[in-house]
Amino acid sequence: GQNIDQPTEMTATEGAIVQINCTYQTSGFNGLFWYQQHAGEAPTFLSYNVLDGLEEKGRFSSFLSRSKGYSYLLLKELQMKDSASYLCAVRDSNYQLIWGAGTKLIIKP
Amino acid sequence: NAGVTQTPKFQVLKTGQSMTLQCAQDMNHEYMSWYRQDPGMGLRLIHYSVGAGITDQGEVPNGYNVSRSTTEDFPLRLLSAAPSQTSVYFCASSYGQSPSGANVLTFGAGSRLTVL
Protein backbone atom coordinates (compact mmCIF):
# COMPACT_ATOMS: atom_id res chain seq x y z
CA GLY A 1 0.00 0.00 0.00
CA GLN A 2 0.91 3.64 -0.26
CA ASN A 3 1.83 5.52 2.88
CA ILE A 4 2.95 8.98 3.96
CA ASP A 5 4.16 9.46 7.54
CA GLN A 6 4.49 12.77 9.36
CA PRO A 7 4.57 13.62 13.06
CA THR A 8 1.11 14.47 14.34
CA GLU A 9 2.10 17.56 16.29
CA MET A 10 5.18 19.67 17.00
CA THR A 11 5.81 22.65 19.26
CA ALA A 12 8.41 25.35 18.70
CA THR A 13 9.29 28.80 20.00
CA GLU A 14 8.85 32.07 18.15
CA GLY A 15 12.09 33.04 16.41
CA ALA A 16 13.45 29.48 16.42
CA ILE A 17 13.89 26.90 13.65
CA VAL A 18 11.78 23.77 13.20
CA GLN A 19 12.12 20.79 10.87
CA ILE A 20 9.04 18.78 9.90
CA ASN A 21 9.83 15.35 8.49
CA CYS A 22 7.90 13.32 5.94
CA THR A 23 8.64 9.75 4.89
CA TYR A 24 6.82 8.06 2.06
CA GLN A 25 6.26 4.71 0.41
CA THR A 26 4.39 5.11 -2.86
CA SER A 27 3.87 3.43 -6.20
CA GLY A 28 6.27 5.54 -8.19
CA PHE A 29 7.31 9.13 -7.61
CA ASN A 30 6.53 12.23 -9.64
CA GLY A 31 7.16 14.96 -7.13
CA LEU A 32 6.59 15.91 -3.51
CA PHE A 33 4.57 18.87 -2.30
CA TRP A 34 4.26 20.74 0.97
CA TYR A 35 1.10 22.69 1.75
CA GLN A 36 0.22 24.90 4.70
CA GLN A 37 -3.25 24.80 6.20
CA HIS A 38 -4.40 27.24 8.88
CA ALA A 39 -7.23 26.01 11.09
CA GLY A 40 -10.57 26.22 9.31
CA GLU A 41 -9.00 27.28 6.03
CA ALA A 42 -7.96 25.71 2.74
CA PRO A 43 -4.49 24.27 2.13
CA THR A 44 -2.12 26.61 0.29
CA PHE A 45 0.98 25.61 -1.67
CA LEU A 46 4.40 26.03 -0.06
CA SER A 47 6.94 24.03 -2.05
CA TYR A 48 7.59 21.38 -4.68
CA ASN A 49 10.55 18.98 -4.97
CA VAL A 50 11.11 16.53 -7.79
CA LEU A 51 14.92 16.23 -7.70
CA ASP A 52 17.11 15.45 -4.70
CA GLY A 53 18.34 18.40 -2.74
CA LEU A 54 17.25 21.55 -1.02
CA GLU A 55 14.81 24.14 -2.38
CA GLU A 56 14.87 27.45 -0.53
CA LYS A 57 12.08 29.99 -0.59
CA GLY A 58 12.49 32.78 1.92
CA ARG A 59 12.11 31.49 5.47
CA PHE A 60 10.94 28.10 4.20
CA SER A 61 13.13 25.36 2.70
CA SER A 62 12.24 21.86 1.58
CA PHE A 63 14.60 18.92 1.15
CA LEU A 64 14.13 15.68 -0.76
CA SER A 65 15.98 12.36 -0.83
CA ARG A 66 14.29 10.01 -3.28
CA SER A 67 16.53 7.07 -2.41
CA LYS A 68 15.48 7.32 1.23
CA GLY A 69 11.83 8.20 0.57
CA TYR A 70 12.31 11.23 2.80
CA SER A 71 11.61 14.93 2.80
CA TYR A 72 11.65 17.69 5.35
CA LEU A 73 10.27 21.19 5.56
CA LEU A 74 12.48 23.66 7.41
CA LEU A 75 10.95 26.82 8.83
CA LYS A 76 13.31 29.52 10.07
CA GLU A 77 12.70 32.62 12.20
CA LEU A 78 9.37 31.26 13.30
CA GLN A 79 6.48 33.69 13.61
CA MET A 80 3.18 33.23 15.40
CA LYS A 81 1.42 33.19 12.02
CA ASP A 82 3.32 29.98 11.16
CA SER A 83 1.04 28.12 13.58
CA ALA A 84 -0.76 25.81 11.16
CA SER A 85 -0.85 22.27 9.87
CA TYR A 86 1.73 21.28 7.28
CA LEU A 87 0.69 18.67 4.74
CA CYS A 88 3.11 16.48 2.80
CA ALA A 89 1.85 14.98 -0.48
CA VAL A 90 3.51 12.73 -3.05
CA ARG A 91 2.42 12.39 -6.67
CA ASP A 92 2.53 8.72 -7.60
CA SER A 93 3.07 6.88 -10.88
CA ASN A 94 -0.56 7.60 -11.90
CA TYR A 95 0.02 11.30 -11.18
CA GLN A 96 -2.41 11.18 -8.27
CA LEU A 97 -1.54 12.89 -5.00
CA ILE A 98 -1.16 10.79 -1.85
CA TRP A 99 -1.50 12.94 1.26
CA GLY A 100 -0.09 12.63 4.73
CA ALA A 101 -2.34 13.37 7.70
CA GLY A 102 -0.48 16.60 8.37
CA THR A 103 1.69 17.96 11.17
CA LYS A 104 0.12 20.51 13.49
CA LEU A 105 2.75 23.09 14.39
CA ILE A 106 2.21 25.09 17.56
CA ILE A 107 4.32 28.23 18.01
CA LYS A 108 4.80 29.53 21.55
CA PRO A 109 5.95 33.07 22.38
CA ASN B 1 -10.14 36.68 -10.25
CA ALA B 2 -12.02 34.74 -7.56
CA GLY B 3 -10.00 31.48 -7.82
CA VAL B 4 -12.01 28.46 -6.63
CA THR B 5 -15.44 29.17 -5.18
CA GLN B 6 -17.29 26.58 -3.13
CA THR B 7 -20.82 26.73 -1.77
CA PRO B 8 -22.25 26.24 0.76
CA LYS B 9 -19.68 26.70 3.54
CA PHE B 10 -21.81 24.82 6.05
CA GLN B 11 -24.62 22.30 5.64
CA VAL B 12 -26.53 20.00 7.96
CA LEU B 13 -28.39 17.08 6.40
CA LYS B 14 -30.51 14.24 7.69
CA THR B 15 -29.66 10.69 6.76
CA GLY B 16 -31.06 9.86 3.33
CA GLN B 17 -31.26 13.43 2.07
CA SER B 18 -29.47 14.46 -1.10
CA MET B 19 -27.59 17.64 -1.87
CA THR B 20 -25.09 19.20 -4.24
CA LEU B 21 -21.86 20.97 -3.31
CA GLN B 22 -21.04 23.58 -5.90
CA CYS B 23 -17.54 24.35 -7.17
CA ALA B 24 -16.54 26.92 -9.76
CA GLN B 25 -13.13 28.18 -10.89
CA ASP B 26 -12.28 31.12 -13.11
CA MET B 27 -8.65 30.24 -13.88
CA ASN B 28 -9.35 28.10 -16.97
CA HIS B 29 -7.93 25.07 -15.17
CA GLU B 30 -8.30 21.73 -16.92
CA TYR B 31 -8.03 19.63 -13.78
CA MET B 32 -10.63 19.75 -11.02
CA SER B 33 -11.09 17.48 -8.05
CA TRP B 34 -13.02 16.86 -4.86
CA TYR B 35 -11.39 15.82 -1.60
CA ARG B 36 -12.70 15.06 1.82
CA GLN B 37 -10.71 15.80 4.95
CA ASP B 38 -11.33 13.88 8.16
CA PRO B 39 -9.51 14.23 11.51
CA GLY B 40 -6.28 12.25 11.68
CA MET B 41 -6.36 11.35 8.01
CA GLY B 42 -4.84 12.77 4.88
CA LEU B 43 -6.95 14.37 2.20
CA ARG B 44 -8.74 11.65 0.25
CA LEU B 45 -9.67 12.04 -3.40
CA ILE B 46 -13.34 11.44 -4.18
CA HIS B 47 -13.63 12.22 -7.89
CA TYR B 48 -11.63 14.19 -10.40
CA SER B 49 -11.89 15.56 -13.92
CA VAL B 50 -9.18 16.31 -16.49
CA GLY B 51 -11.47 18.35 -18.71
CA ALA B 52 -15.07 19.08 -19.67
CA GLY B 53 -17.02 15.87 -20.22
CA ILE B 54 -14.38 13.69 -18.52
CA THR B 55 -14.65 12.44 -14.94
CA ASP B 56 -13.06 9.60 -13.02
CA GLN B 57 -13.18 8.03 -9.59
CA GLY B 58 -10.68 8.66 -6.88
CA GLU B 59 -9.95 6.73 -3.71
CA VAL B 60 -13.37 7.09 -2.03
CA PRO B 61 -16.08 7.58 -4.71
CA ASN B 62 -18.95 5.56 -3.21
CA GLY B 63 -22.02 7.64 -2.42
CA TYR B 64 -20.93 10.57 -4.57
CA ASN B 65 -21.55 11.62 -8.17
CA VAL B 66 -19.91 14.31 -10.28
CA SER B 67 -20.31 15.85 -13.70
CA ARG B 68 -18.23 18.31 -15.71
CA SER B 69 -20.34 19.98 -18.37
CA THR B 70 -18.17 23.12 -18.52
CA THR B 71 -14.52 23.90 -17.80
CA GLU B 72 -15.56 26.15 -14.92
CA ASP B 73 -17.96 24.02 -12.89
CA PHE B 74 -17.55 20.71 -11.07
CA PRO B 75 -20.46 19.95 -8.70
CA LEU B 76 -20.39 17.08 -6.22
CA ARG B 77 -23.67 15.30 -5.52
CA LEU B 78 -24.43 13.28 -2.43
CA LEU B 79 -27.14 10.85 -3.47
CA SER B 80 -28.39 9.62 -0.09
CA ALA B 81 -26.44 11.15 2.76
CA ALA B 82 -25.04 8.93 5.51
CA PRO B 83 -23.39 9.89 8.83
CA SER B 84 -20.09 8.50 7.44
CA GLN B 85 -20.14 11.37 4.95
CA THR B 86 -19.81 13.94 7.73
CA SER B 87 -16.60 15.69 6.73
CA VAL B 88 -15.00 18.82 5.34
CA TYR B 89 -15.04 18.84 1.56
CA PHE B 90 -12.55 20.70 -0.60
CA CYS B 91 -12.70 21.39 -4.29
CA ALA B 92 -9.30 21.93 -5.90
CA SER B 93 -8.11 22.74 -9.41
CA SER B 94 -4.88 22.98 -11.38
CA TYR B 95 -3.71 23.49 -14.94
CA GLY B 96 -3.32 19.76 -15.42
CA GLN B 97 -1.61 16.60 -14.29
CA SER B 98 1.47 16.94 -16.44
CA PRO B 99 4.54 15.48 -14.79
CA SER B 100 6.71 18.24 -16.18
CA GLY B 101 5.64 20.89 -13.75
CA ALA B 102 4.52 21.49 -10.22
CA ASN B 103 0.85 21.76 -11.23
CA VAL B 104 -0.03 23.30 -7.93
CA LEU B 105 -3.52 22.72 -6.63
CA THR B 106 -5.64 25.75 -5.77
CA PHE B 107 -8.22 24.89 -3.14
CA GLY B 108 -11.63 26.31 -2.43
CA ALA B 109 -12.44 27.49 1.10
CA GLY B 110 -14.11 24.21 2.03
CA SER B 111 -17.61 23.00 2.84
CA ARG B 112 -18.32 21.56 6.28
CA LEU B 113 -21.05 18.92 6.02
CA THR B 114 -22.77 17.26 8.97
CA VAL B 115 -25.09 14.31 8.42
CA LEU B 116 -27.37 13.48 11.34
Side-chain angles (χ1 to χ4, degrees):
Chain A
Q2 307 202 90
N3 195 49
I4 309 271
D5 284 319
Q6 314 177 227
T8 302
E9 188 175 294
M10 300 181 69
T11 302
T13 304
E14 189 177 16
I17 299 173
V18 71
Q19 177 175 312
I20 302 173
N21 296 325
C22 170
T23 58
Y24 62 90
Q25 292 176 306
T26 56
S27 303
F29 178 85
N30 282 300
L32 184 144
F33 297 79
W34 285 96
Y35 282 76
Q36 180 189 60
Q37 185 178 25
H38 286 101
E41 298 184 9
T44 55
F45 171 75
L46 283 179
S47 70
Y48 170 70
N49 295 71
V50 67
L51 299 176
D52 291 350
L54 188 68
E55 294 279 344
E56 297 186 81
K57 193 185 293 185
R59 294 189 299 114
F60 292 9
S61 303
S62 57
F63 172 83
L64 174 67
S65 169
R66 289 172 295 170
S67 63
K68 295 182 179 178
Y70 169 69
S71 173
Y72 67 72
L73 181 69
L74 191 72
L75 291 73
K76 303 176 185 176
E77 301 170 12
L78 286 169
Q79 302 175 8
M80 297 303 293
K81 67 178 182 179
D82 297 329
S83 292
S85 289
Y86 292 85
L87 314 181
C88 175
V90 172
R91 188 161 57 200
D92 69 10
S93 56
N94 294 318
Y95 306 118
Q96 296 296 346
L97 285 173
I98 311 301
W99 295 82
T103 299
K104 183 178 181 180
L105 178 63
I106 300 168
I107 309 296
K108 296 186 175 180
Chain B
N1 191 338
V4 179
T5 303
Q6 272 184 249
T7 56
K9 280 194 70 68
F10 301 95
Q11 183 72 49
V12 178
L13 291 177
K14 295 181 179 178
T15 297
Q17 287 185 319
S18 62
M19 76 156 300
T20 299
L21 298 176
Q22 301 291 345
C23 176
Q25 53 88 13
D26 61 358
M27 298 172 286
N28 203 29
H29 283 174
E30 295 178 357
Y31 180 85
M32 297 187 74
S33 56
W34 277 101
Y35 285 94
R36 59 179 290 173
Q37 186 173 43
D38 299 294
M41 302 182 72
L43 289 163
R44 291 185 292 170
L45 183 65
I46 303 170
H47 284 285
Y48 66 98
S49 169
V50 297
I54 306 169
T55 63
D56 208 344
Q57 296 181 349
E59 179 186 357
V60 288
N62 292 342
Y64 307 95
N65 271 359
V66 292
S67 59
R68 184 95 180 268
S69 56
T70 67
T71 300
E72 294 79 20
D73 299 298
F74 191 48
L76 178 73
R77 298 182 186 84
L78 280 72
L79 309 173
S80 177
S84 61
Q85 293 179 303
T86 293
S87 187
V88 179
Y89 292 84
F90 287 100
C91 179
S93 70
S94 72
Y95 280 111
Q97 288 182 283
S98 166
S100 63
N103 281 316
V104 171
L105 283 173
T106 300
F107 284 83
S111 300
R112 184 174 293 275
L113 175 67
T114 302
V115 182
L116 303 176

